[in-house]
């Protein structure tokens, strides 16, 4: 299956912006009193219910275009792909903002940012969210936070080129945050889109720069990107979650220390991060080395009490 995106940003030659039909805003270097380029941003246009950013840079001779799959309007649920990218660019021309050279852009562009997306038939229940949270493969490496009350984002705990995956209820997101877009569509199209997303969970991998895209896919030219068959979403899922996560089994522990740790793990739903935070906040250990040694033991015990694959994670992975 080929890559699909909810949002994408591409860079190409500025000669492919053939005409500005409305006045674009200038970008200035005030220190040298020089115009660097011109841009349009739909955030400043209340009549446009989706994201669109178009900018030229005279110095670098570049044109950057960023848009979401909402630019597809009635075809929104199809996402941005090799089958719809031309339609996206043609729809930009139809907005009356500018004229771009669609064929030139398709031939000669690079992807510099992308939200790679997969929608699966899976209700996002509390059980699913808890299974994801409890089975993060390296609890110190990844942090998580709720996503607008309808999902969860897991992020690698580093400053540079953050590695993340977002999981959320797409139907709820449409109801809560996309009403203006949905209201802009004909009733039949609106019903069709809502029916399509009902009961679906979206998995989204954000690639924030061309370096990340190049490292993960080995390409960043526009059509090479969309012709890639790499399953980026499943690969990211495997990186974040312990897909071989097991359920707890207490029967094999005869040593009291390990038996006690196994029960504590069970009480904390196997969450090593919470156990460590609790031990630290209660000042159970006077030295950092003592806490570190104990957490190593907890990790060892957790590996021993694993028995069989978590059925929820196994099912989710099979859908990606």
């Amino acid at each position: 299956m080929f890559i699909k995106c909810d949002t994408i940003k591409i860079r190409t030659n500025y000669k492919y912006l053939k005409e500005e039909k409305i006045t674009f805003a200038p970008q200035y270097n005030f220190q040298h009193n020089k115009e660097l380029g011109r841009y349009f941003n739909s955030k400043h246009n209340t009549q446009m219910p989706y994201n669109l950013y178009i900018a030229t840079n005279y110095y670098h001779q570049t044109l950057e275009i960023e848009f979401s799959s909402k630019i597809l309007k009635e075809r929104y649920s199809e996402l941005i792909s090799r089958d719809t990218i031309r339609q996206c660019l043609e729809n930009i021309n139809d907005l009356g903002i500018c004229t771009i050279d669609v064929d030139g852009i398709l031939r000669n562009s690079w992807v510099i940012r992308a939200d790679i997306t997969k929608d699966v038939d899976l209700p996002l229940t509390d059980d699913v969210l808890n299974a994801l949270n409890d089975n993060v493969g390296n609890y110190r490496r990844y942090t998580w936070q709720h996503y607008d009350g309808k999902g969860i984002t897991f992020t690698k705990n580093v400053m540079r080129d953050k590695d993340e995956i977002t999981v959320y209820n797409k139907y709820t997101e449409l109801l809560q945050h996309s009403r203006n877009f949905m209201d802009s569509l004909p009733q039949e199209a609106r019903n069709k889109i809502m029916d399509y997303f009902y009961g679906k969970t979206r998995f989204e991998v954000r690639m924030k720069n061309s370096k990340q895209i190049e490292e993960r896919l080995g390409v960043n030219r526009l059509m090479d990107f969309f012709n890639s068959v790499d399953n980026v979403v499943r690969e990211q899922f495997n990186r974040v979650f312990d897909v071989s996560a097991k359920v707890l089994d207490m029967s094999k522990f005869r040593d009291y220390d390990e038996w006690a740790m196994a029960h504590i793990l069970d009480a904390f739903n196997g969450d090593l991060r919470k156990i460590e935070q609790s031990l630290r906040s209660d000042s159970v250990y006077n030295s950092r080395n003592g806490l570190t040694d104990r957490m190593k033991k907890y990790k060892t015990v957790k590996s021993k009490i694993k028995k069989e694959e978590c059925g929820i994670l196994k099912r989710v992975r099979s859908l990606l």
Side-chain angles (χ1 to χ4, degrees):
M1 186 175 291
F2 299 103
I3 281 176
K4 294 184 177 183
C5 297
D6 180 54
T7 302
I8 192 170
K9 186 174 186 178
I10 61 179
R11 179 178 292 149
T12 187
N13 193 295
Y14 73 157
K15 69 182 180 181
Y16 296 136
L17 178 62
K18 310 303 287 186
E19 178 188 7
E20 295 178 17
K21 294 184 177 180
I22 64 172
T23 302
F24 280 29
Q27 296 191 79
Y28 275 106
N29 182 324
F30 290 101
Q31 184 177 357
H32 297 95
N33 193 28
K34 184 177 181 181
E35 186 175 313
L36 301 177
R38 300 176 69 80
Y39 74 95
F40 168 85
N41 192 336
S42 65
K43 291 180 180 180
H44 305 144
N45 187 329
T46 58
Q47 303 302 312
M48 191 172 294
Y50 37 77
N51 294 329
L52 175 63
Y53 176 78
I54 305 170
T56 56
N57 184 298
Y58 302 146
Y59 180 78
H60 295 291
Q61 298 186 351
T62 57
L63 168 66
E64 292 184 355
I65 308 175
E66 183 172 15
F67 52 91
S68 75
S69 52
K70 290 184 174 74
I71 198 74
L72 286 164
K73 300 180 181 178
E74 289 88 345
R75 298 179 67 187
Y76 170 55
S77 59
E78 297 179 42
L79 298 172
I80 307 167
S81 69
R82 70 174 195 163
D83 297 321
T84 63
I85 182 63
R86 175 179 287 276
Q87 185 70 61
C88 291
L89 299 174
E90 290 176 349
N91 284 0
I92 291 174
N93 274 343
D94 291 340
L95 293 173
I97 296 167
C98 62
T99 301
I100 55 177
D101 183 342
V102 173
D103 290 327
I105 292 171
L106 291 175
R107 285 195 310 269
N108 187 32
S109 296
W110 291 262
V111 180
I112 58 174
R113 186 183 303 161
D115 291 346
I116 298 176
T117 301
K118 185 165 287 190
D119 296 314
V120 300
D121 289 312
L122 175 76
L124 191 58
T125 62
D126 288 342
D127 286 342
V128 172
L129 286 172
N130 289 335
L132 295 174
N133 184 44
D134 292 342
N135 292 289
V136 176
N138 188 329
Y139 76 99
R140 280 186 174 140
R141 189 179 179 193
Y142 287 92
T143 59
W144 63 268
Q145 63 181 9
H146 285 292
Y147 177 80
D148 284 351
K150 60 186 172 293
I152 198 164
T153 298
F154 295 87
T155 305
K156 187 192 228 179
N157 199 15
V158 294
M159 293 301 295
R160 185 180 63 87
D161 293 345
K162 285 192 174 181
D163 215 4
E164 66 183 35
I165 186 169
T166 300
V167 185
Y168 61 97
N169 184 322
K170 182 58 186 174
Y171 184 85
T172 301
E173 189 270 342
L174 279 176
L175 289 176
Q176 293 181 353
H177 298 289
S178 300
R179 295 303 297 267
N180 289 340
F181 167 69
M182 295 302 294
D183 289 345
S184 71
L185 301 175
Q187 186 66 48
E188 184 179 353
R190 192 185 319 165
N191 293 341
K192 185 176 179 181
I193 288 171
M194 294 305 295
D195 289 344
Y196 175 82
F197 284 114
Y198 185 78
K200 279 189 168 57
T201 292
R202 171 161 290 186
F203 291 79
E204 196 165 85
V205 177
R206 177 160 294 179
M207 294 192 174
K208 297 184 177 180
N209 53 60
S210 56
K211 180 183 176 184
Q212 277 188 308
I213 295 168
E214 184 92 39
E215 287 177 349
R216 292 292 289 274
L217 297 175
V219 297
N220 59 14
R221 290 186 69 90
L222 181 63
M223 294 315 298
D224 291 341
F225 173 87
F226 279 123
N227 283 320
S228 173
V229 294
D230 286 27
N231 193 332
V232 174
V233 176
R234 179 185 282 188
E235 289 173 6
Q236 184 72 351
F237 184 87
N238 291 343
R239 288 169 68 160
V240 175
F241 303 107
D242 182 359
V243 293
S244 62
K246 311 295 194 297
V247 296
L248 301 176
D249 175 15
M250 306 294 187
S251 62
K252 61 183 71 175
F253 295 104
R254 296 189 178 93
D255 175 270
Y256 175 79
D257 193 46
E258 288 192 347
W259 177 87
M261 284 191 288
H263 276 282
I264 292 171
L265 278 161
D266 188 41
F268 279 81
N269 293 317
D271 194 327
L272 292 172
R273 180 188 296 276
K274 288 183 179 178
I275 293 173
E276 183 176 1
Q277 288 174 343
S278 182
L279 292 172
R280 183 181 287 113
S281 63
D282 292 339
S283 301
V284 176
Y285 289 92
N286 294 324
S287 70
R288 184 176 180 180
N289 288 341
L291 178 60
T292 299
D293 290 342
R294 175 56 66 179
M295 292 312 300
K296 287 180 180 178
K297 291 179 181 179
Y298 270 112
K299 195 170 184 177
T300 299
V301 170
K302 185 175 180 180
S303 69
K304 287 183 179 180
I305 59 180
K306 291 178 178 179
K307 186 178 180 183
E308 60 184 21
E309 284 193 10
C310 172
I312 292 176
L313 252 65
K314 187 176 181 180
R315 181 187 171 205
V316 171
R317 187 181 185 279
S318 71
L319 293 171
L320 297 176

